[in-house]
Amino acid sequence: MEEDKSYMKNVKNPTIKKILEKYKEIALLGKVNALLGWDLNVNLPMQGGAYRSEESAYVTELITNKWLDSEFRTLIEKANCENDLTLEEKAIVRNLNVATKFYYKVPKELIIENEKVTSGAFIDWRTAKEENNFKKFQPHLTKIVEIDKQIAQYLGYKNNPYDALLDLYEPELTAAECSRLFNGVKRELVPFIKKITKSKGYNDNVKFINRQMHYPKADQEKILNYTIEKMGFDFSRGRVDISAHPFTTTLGTNDIRTTTFYSEIDFRDSFTSSIHETGHALYELGINPEFASTPLEGGVSLGMHEGMSRFWENMVGKNPHFLRFMTPVFKSIYDKQLAGIDAEGLIKTFDMVKPSLIRIYADEVTYSLHIILRFEMENDIINGKIAVKDAPEAWADKAKKLLGVEPKTDSEGVLQDVHWAYGNFGYFPSYAMGNLYGAQILSVMQKQVKVDQELAQGNLQPIKNWLDNNLHQYGSLYFPTELIKKITGKPLDYTYFTKYIIKKYSEIYDLTSS
Ligand code: MG
């Protein structure tokens, strides 16, 4: 049976209709703020920063006031008591409850204190990291943890205060569920990584890419445009620009911006990061346009969004079949730079497994372990099992157990990421959830699309079309837990991910025969 896709026509409830009118103002202002942020990262002249932050702060204040507007609040309360809501109407109310939770439950004074503490923390985190000195950041982190514990109390939780923080980033996710999934990943991947690094012929110093060579920006741009066009990125509905840290932002339903960064000594970074960001963009571009400016707009969660971007980056972009297809394309442009390198050599550099200390440079196999380390640290810190002063040691200990490497300095360990300075406890696990979502979705996609065969031909469109039909279109209509069940028929299970990893890397490292 054909589903009725004209969702917004199904919204008939008068309270919800009024809510949608008011919400539209929030949505429009949100896009204005996103445009200010995009421009800040892409175009802003050096001295424009101060005035820009005043502009952004003012728009943010307008948005906050609209969320706190008493009439809007009353309407949401009323909607929460309505019976007979349609699927779409229920999802609208549910999403508004999620979005307003922080505003309505946490006292304004605590939100202001949190902003003050985190902006001070950010500055000292930066110098602490430069100077390798955790002690400088420690008092800030102590305060941040105290505030986050208070925030958790106001938000409310059943068993674990960390659940309240996780739920801010990935709705319904709990520490118990993270432990269940992540322990499974650990159990499978920690020994598998050892098997790889101890295998015959393992070489963590493969230098197929000669970093003495020059890879001109204009050449990288050619490859990038070729690749993202193949992915189905619609240049009449989006743009690609340059920024120091690649990101994607939605400025309107037909205006999605991604950015990339070119390193002229290595063409791989712009290639993989563009595929990653285009994955985010395709999600946004594929959402039912009727959801625009409603609480159903945008991807459903950080984890699902990262799931899609990492799906494209790792499961498509770094798929050996696709890399074999791309090799002649790379070599037609970098004939001199890649002389003597074949497809198998390129696969070994794109898919090299090397346990290391820094998360952002981690490969597909070790990446989730970096996240699991942070999840365990956060859970223990919020529950008082690790004292803030002992965090560097606890970090080093976990790095050794999970990755087999030990940080020599705080900068390589506990100080490496900015997230804690921003007070974002609960954010990290969504990255690893993304990997699990991606693998489970791939397992179902493979039953309907001959993924490897298509990739060997360089056909990415069937993958994009499948994701449009089965995932992208729904925007925020279903929560991640419901969506994964709707797409795959099963709740989230870590074994899809571990099986995918073990199969892919056993082939790359020739472990199957041993
Ligand atoms: Mg991303």
Side-chain angles (χ1 to χ4, degrees):
M1 200 181 76
E2 264 298 295
E3 262 180 276
D4 182 8
K5 296 285 166 57
S6 49
Y7 290 106
M8 297 329 275
K9 282 194 206 95
N10 293 336
V11 175
K12 298 213 171 66
N13 182 290
T15 310
I16 306 287
K17 279 200 178 295
K18 269 189 222 155
I19 285 178
L20 289 182
E21 278 167 32
K22 286 196 162 282
Y23 180 85
K24 186 163 183 181
E25 297 175 23
I26 292 176
L28 292 173
L29 283 171
K31 304 300 182 296
V32 171
N33 226 359
L35 175 57
L36 293 175
W38 172 84
D39 182 69
L40 164 82
N41 283 287
V42 174
N43 292 318
L44 199 73
M46 234 167 57
Q47 297 200 35
Y51 198 76
R52 176 56 47 87
S53 32
E54 234 181 286
E55 290 171 304
S56 290
Y58 180 61
V59 179
T60 304
E61 194 186 321
L62 294 180
I63 295 172
T64 308
N65 291 342
K66 291 203 180 290
W67 281 117
L68 294 171
D69 171 64
S70 59
E71 203 188 325
F72 189 54
R73 197 171 171 165
T74 310
L75 283 168
I76 295 173
E77 275 162 20
K78 200 174 161 208
N80 269 299
C81 303
E82 301 264 345
N83 303 312
D84 306 323
L85 294 182
T86 63
L87 171 76
E88 295 75 28
E89 291 167 343
K90 274 185 206 155
I92 287 167
V93 177
R94 180 204 63 199
N95 290 353
L96 286 170
N97 288 337
V98 171
T100 55
K101 193 168 57 175
F102 197 75
Y103 291 112
Y104 295 175
K105 289 189 174 174
V106 182
K108 209 173 174 181
E109 306 78 61
L110 189 58
I111 295 178
I112 293 168
E113 199 194 337
N114 188 36
E115 274 163 23
K116 263 194 216 146
V117 169
T118 50
S119 57
F122 173 72
I123 295 163
D124 275 352
W125 165 78
R126 227 171 23 189
T127 38
K129 190 179 170 183
E130 276 164 21
E131 295 166 5
N132 263 322
N133 179 8
F134 177 73
K135 287 272 178 292
K136 189 162 217 163
F137 182 55
Q138 188 182 316
H140 294 288
L141 187 57
T142 307
K143 262 189 232 152
I144 285 168
V145 169
E146 277 319 307
I147 289 174
D148 273 357
K149 281 184 186 169
Q150 285 181 52
I151 289 174
Q153 294 303 327
Y154 284 112
L155 292 171
Y157 54 85
K158 264 193 215 134
N159 302 310
N160 180 339
Y162 186 48
D163 292 350
L165 303 175
L166 282 171
D167 188 65
L168 286 174
Y169 302 98
E170 196 64 12
E172 295 180 319
L173 185 61
T174 62
E177 175 71 349
C178 282
S179 295
R180 179 183 77 83
L181 297 164
F182 294 172
N183 286 341
V185 173
K186 265 186 353 190
R187 208 162 41 235
E188 297 289 331
L189 293 195
V190 171
F192 182 64
I193 292 164
K194 286 203 183 103
K195 199 172 164 190
I196 291 176
T197 55
K198 290 197 172 118
S199 66
K200 214 173 74 198
Y202 173 78
N203 178 1
D204 69 357
N205 199 20
V206 186
K207 288 212 173 73
F208 289 108
I209 303 296
N210 186 345
R211 290 168 72 98
Q212 311 304 326
M213 288 285 186
H214 183 237
Y215 302 87
K217 177 182 157 278
D219 287 347
Q220 294 191 47
E221 212 168 22
K222 266 186 234 161
I223 289 183
L224 191 152
N225 285 336
Y226 171 84
T227 312
I228 67 178
E229 213 172 295
K230 274 197 162 296
M231 289 172 72
F233 182 77
D234 181 349
F235 283 92
S236 75
R237 297 178 64 206
R239 282 179 59 89
V240 181
D241 291 273
I242 296 173
S243 70
H245 301 284
F247 68 98
T248 302
T249 189
T250 299
L251 305 185
T253 184
N254 291 312
D255 186 1
I256 316 292
R257 309 291 177 95
T258 74
T259 68
T260 191
F261 181 77
Y262 297 105
S263 152
E264 295 203 314
I265 57 164
D266 195 335
F267 70 98
R268 289 173 302 172
D269 298 345
S270 72
F271 177 71
T272 53
S273 86
S274 298
I275 294 178
H276 178 103
E277 296 307 327
T278 305
H280 283 303
L282 291 182
Y283 192 173
E284 292 289 310
L285 287 165
I287 294 171
N288 186 330
E290 287 184 51
F291 293 172
S293 297
T294 79
L296 303 181
E297 70 181 347
V300 67
S301 69
L302 276 173
M304 198 57 82
H305 238 300
E306 202 58 19
M308 283 302 93
S309 57
R310 294 183 65 80
F311 173 88
W312 281 101
E313 178 186 351
N314 293 316
M315 299 179 181
V316 174
K318 295 190 201 168
N319 174 300
H321 297 278
F322 185 59
L323 288 171
R324 278 181 205 113
F325 168 82
M326 284 301 293
T327 300
V329 179
F330 290 138
K331 293 189 76 148
S332 72
I333 289 176
Y334 306 127
D335 55 339
K336 250 196 279 139
Q337 296 94 321
L338 297 181
I341 299 167
D342 63 3
E344 302 318 302
L346 279 174
I347 292 167
K348 281 262 160 64
T349 83
F350 273 102
D351 286 317
M352 189 199 298
V353 178
K354 184 177 183 178
S356 66
L357 292 164
I358 308 296
R359 174 185 63 88
I360 57 166
Y361 303 128
D363 58 79
E364 187 183 15
V365 184
T366 57
Y367 189 87
S368 295
L369 298 177
H370 286 265
I371 300 304
I372 293 169
L373 179 156
R374 286 153 180 77
F375 157 72
E376 292 179 351
M377 290 288 299
E378 291 190 353
N379 192 21
D380 283 352
I381 289 172
I382 293 295
N383 283 290
K385 288 182 193 154
I386 294 176
V388 168
K389 69 171 173 46
D390 300 327
E393 237 172 274
W395 185 291
D397 195 46
K398 283 183 187 295
K400 206 172 162 190
K401 278 191 192 123
L402 289 167
L403 295 155
V405 288
E406 209 174 343
K408 302 258 177 311
T409 65
D410 293 340
S411 309
E412 293 179 327
V414 71
L415 287 174
Q416 67 178 274
D417 295 304
V418 68
H419 301 59
W420 290 354
Y422 286 147
N424 293 341
F425 273 73
Y427 189 118
F428 280 122
S430 60
Y431 292 134
M433 294 301 286
N435 290 339
L436 304 187
Y437 292 142
Q440 189 159 332
I441 288 165
L442 174 66
S443 77
V444 176
M445 183 191 291
Q446 280 167 332
K447 289 179 186 150
Q448 290 154 34
V449 178
K450 292 191 165 70
V451 176
D452 285 345
Q453 283 97 317
E454 297 289 1
L455 289 177
Q457 305 289 318
N459 296 332
L460 306 184
Q461 202 69 40
I463 295 170
K464 184 230 175 218
N465 292 344
W466 193 94
L467 289 171
D468 278 344
N469 289 331
N470 291 281
L471 194 156
H472 296 156
Q473 60 153 321
Y474 297 117
S476 296
L477 184 60
Y478 301 105
F479 259 180
T481 34
E482 299 171 79
L483 186 57
I484 203 80
K485 257 190 241 167
K486 186 176 167 60
I487 299 170
T488 70
K490 283 177 193 150
L492 191 62
D493 177 346
Y494 71 88
T495 59
Y496 294 98
F497 177 65
T498 53
K499 278 184 192 150
Y500 153 81
I501 289 284
I502 290 170
K503 182 173 185 289
K504 174 176 174 181
Y505 289 88
S506 293
E507 282 168 18
I508 291 173
Y509 282 96
D510 201 16
L511 303 175
T512 36
S513 52
S514 59

mmCIF file of all heavy atoms in Angstrom, residues 276-277 280 306 309, ligand 1:
data_model
loop_
_atom_site.group_PDB
_atom_site.id
_atom_site.type_symbol
_atom_site.label_atom_id
_atom_site.label_comp_id
_atom_site.label_asym_id
_atom_site.label_seq_id
_atom_site.Cartn_x
_atom_site.Cartn_y
_atom_site.Cartn_z
ATOM 1 N N HIS A 276 32.107 12.974 3.687
ATOM 2 C CA HIS A 276 31.462 13.022 5.002
ATOM 3 C C HIS A 276 30.431 14.162 5.055
ATOM 4 O O HIS A 276 29.260 13.942 5.376
ATOM 5 C CB HIS A 276 32.529 13.208 6.084
ATOM 6 C CG HIS A 276 32.003 13.322 7.483
ATOM 7 N ND1 HIS A 276 32.059 12.276 8.381
ATOM 8 C CD2 HIS A 276 31.394 14.336 8.152
ATOM 9 C CE1 HIS A 276 31.524 12.658 9.522
ATOM 10 N NE2 HIS A 276 31.106 13.908 9.414
ATOM 11 N N GLU A 277 30.867 15.360 4.714
ATOM 12 C CA GLU A 277 29.955 16.515 4.809
ATOM 13 C C GLU A 277 28.804 16.385 3.810
ATOM 14 O O GLU A 277 27.674 16.755 4.115
ATOM 15 C CB GLU A 277 30.711 17.835 4.597
ATOM 16 C CG GLU A 277 31.771 18.146 5.668
ATOM 17 C CD GLU A 277 31.257 18.096 7.101
ATOM 18 O OE1 GLU A 277 30.080 18.440 7.337
ATOM 19 O OE2 GLU A 277 32.040 17.699 7.993
ATOM 20 N N HIS A 280 26.073 14.431 5.294
ATOM 21 C CA HIS A 280 25.174 15.265 6.112
ATOM 22 C C HIS A 280 24.201 16.029 5.200
ATOM 23 O O HIS A 280 23.006 16.112 5.470
ATOM 24 C CB HIS A 280 25.980 16.291 6.914
ATOM 25 C CG HIS A 280 26.668 15.743 8.127
ATOM 26 N ND1 HIS A 280 25.999 15.090 9.134
ATOM 27 C CD2 HIS A 280 27.977 15.787 8.513
ATOM 28 C CE1 HIS A 280 26.866 14.747 10.091
ATOM 29 N NE2 HIS A 280 28.066 15.151 9.733
ATOM 30 N N GLU A 306 25.347 11.817 12.146
ATOM 31 C CA GLU A 306 26.728 11.355 12.062
ATOM 32 C C GLU A 306 26.752 9.948 11.464
ATOM 33 O O GLU A 306 27.693 9.590 10.748
ATOM 34 C CB GLU A 306 27.347 11.391 13.471
ATOM 35 C CG GLU A 306 28.850 11.454 13.504
ATOM 36 C CD GLU A 306 29.475 12.647 12.787
ATOM 37 O OE1 GLU A 306 28.790 13.659 12.542
ATOM 38 O OE2 GLU A 306 30.665 12.551 12.456
ATOM 39 N N SER A 309 26.729 10.589 7.717
ATOM 40 C CA SER A 309 27.981 11.154 7.183
ATOM 41 C C SER A 309 29.094 10.116 7.248
ATOM 42 O O SER A 309 29.882 9.965 6.319
ATOM 43 C CB SER A 309 28.369 12.410 7.949
ATOM 44 O OG SER A 309 28.501 12.139 9.319
HETATM 45 MG MG MG B 1 29.953 15.119 11.001
#
